[in-house]
Amino acid sequence: METINLKGQATTAAKLRRALERIIQLYTDKSHFLYELLQNAEDTKATSAKFVQYEDRLEFFHDGHPFTQSNFDSLCDVGNSDKIKELNQIGEFGVGFKSVFSICKSVKLYSLPSHHKDKSPGFLKKFAVEIEDFTQPKLIPFEDFEAPFTTRFVFPFAVGLSFSGFETFEDLKRKLSTKLQGLAPSTLLFMKNLRSIEYQINTKELTAGGRYTLSVEKLSERCTRVAACGHANSGSNEKEAEETDYLVFSKPIDDKVQGGGDSRTVDIAFLITKDNECISKEQYVSVYFPTETESKLNFIVQGPFRTTPNRTSIPADNKENIALASKVSELLRESLIELQEMRILNLSYLSALPLDENRFENYDLFKPLYEEVFSLFNSLERPIIPTRSHDYVTREFAKLARSEKLVDLFSDYLLSELIEVMPQRIRYKWLSTDITETNQKNRHIYDYITKKLKVRTIRPDDLKNYLDKNPSFLPSRTDEWLVRFYNLLATEWRAECDRNKESNILTTKFVLTSDGEFNAPYKKERDNDGNIQYIQNIFPPVNASGKFDYMCIDKGIYSACTDFFRNVLRLHG
């Protein structure tokens, strides 16, 4: 192992100090530096990290690779990060690390490489330094700390500085405690190495702690199932461990997108239940950690987007961000296809998709995702729209229904036979009956499917056209099916017998009569004044024997469906 060299560090000129102070002032959230520390730990391939807040200081530990001389030089410099060539690394010990000076005037660093399993000669021997004026290090006495951590930072609190934003210690401690307690399990979601974050708060005002862990199950080259588990306590209040599951899809970024190398990725994370149901929830864009930019999406999008200097906002007009958003739209398409191949793409995922173009009116960075979804679902080549029968269909053969009972009566096969007369296979399929114009929860899906994809809803008055065009359909049905059909009409379609509606079924041959044929209950004629009138065409069965010059309804059918014939069709003897 090498010995630390303090020579050659950057000098802190007044101009440099003013620039660093200005950068720190740009951070609207002065406690955002916690994410910077986690980023640096991730870059050292740390698997666990720990924050401890005391009355007068904050300490941070991680178990990542020990320092090299290059690492140390970057820590004490600005704009000269040794990570520039490592494009998978997300934090830089340069400007980003300097945000810690929002809570302190100096930083103490302790490195203990003997706690790390890798004993490579390039790592520095154990050392302890204090960094003042942003960049100036000096040696200090070493203090041991617990294994397996290899690195310990100490930030002695300082307030009232021109750039810190904290006027009192109470304000600093309160905001820092709030930020630590706000570290959710999802903080780890896009980490490649970090699997555990722990925090402890030991102040006069508060004693609290928590630990968040991540477990990852790789499902395919692109997809992982991530379980984020969190456990927190505050004083005497101890919360049970909570687990949050995500389905994460990732796609490498190639050279043409940003700067070279393909080790970084763009990612999409769907919040899901244990049963793979997707939970639709408005999300913020993540640049490894959450930003303050609303994505206008109901799932998490992550990528190395260019942010404003305070890392809170993601400019929509930045060319690199536009290229990354395009890459995310490709990933969304690939993810939906993979979900379909996994047989878990269902209505819950549809609810989370970008289906409303107007949502991107004021922030259009992720509008390409809306366009990609439309391209996929509008295609006639790949069945991708989830159906009621847990299958998939193209928009051309998708149908919506007004009634659950209608779908129960007309299976996908019968629906296909009704529409195509002699179907060779099941082509037409029902979509979920939860997609209706009256179901407010899924109204946006209904509008999208009917208005954008032009999927038709089969209504009672549509039956007239289908049965008129397909006179062989009803004769192929059993008496039992016909009874269910007529009883359905009795409960669901009373209004469709309105004689003032041109589309009513009164003149359609759909009633089984005693001669074994299907006949229309009424004939439509015009009177001398040109007004339409309906003349009864069939009658209830009679008990007397003999032949009659009028048609009677089949006796068994009539007996089973009396209410329909008497009170809905109003057929009388």
Side-chain angles (χ1 to χ4, degrees), residues 340-368:
Q340 185 260 328
E341 291 174 345
M342 295 164 65
R343 313 298 290 183
I344 60 176
L345 179 62
N346 56 27
L347 183 60
S348 68
Y349 283 92
L350 288 191
S351 186
L353 295 180
L355 305 181
D356 183 1
E357 186 177 13
N358 295 327
R359 293 193 68 179
F360 303 96
E361 185 175 354
N362 297 322
Y363 186 74
D364 63 356
L365 180 61
F366 296 109
K367 187 176 179 180

Side-chain angles (χ1 to χ4, degrees), residues 92 256 355:
E92 295 184 6
K256 296 179 181 179
L355 305 181

Side-chain angles (χ1 to χ4, degrees), residues 445-503:
I445 301 178
Y446 175 84
D447 289 341
Y448 184 81
I449 287 177
T450 57
K451 296 176 182 178
K452 293 293 294 184
L453 300 183
K454 307 300 181 184
V455 172
R456 185 171 181 178
T457 301
I458 293 186
R459 306 174 186 275
D461 49 7
D462 292 320
L463 273 188
K464 172 180 174 58
N465 294 328
Y466 288 125
L467 294 176
D468 285 344
K469 292 178 180 178
N470 189 357
S472 65
F473 179 79
L474 289 177
S476 300
R477 310 280 74 81
T478 64
D479 286 359
E480 180 185 3
W481 190 93
L482 290 172
V483 168
R484 292 175 60 203
F485 177 55
Y486 297 139
N487 284 331
L488 174 66
L489 297 181
T491 58
E492 301 286 331
W493 295 355
R494 291 177 184 267
E496 300 306 321
C497 293
D498 184 352
R499 285 157 172 74
N500 295 320
K501 297 182 70 171
E502 288 293 325
S503 60

Side-chain angles (χ1 to χ4, degrees), residues 519-530:
N519 289 280
Y522 289 88
K523 295 178 181 178
K524 186 164 61 174
E525 297 180 353
R526 291 185 182 273
D527 60 19
N528 294 333
D529 295 326

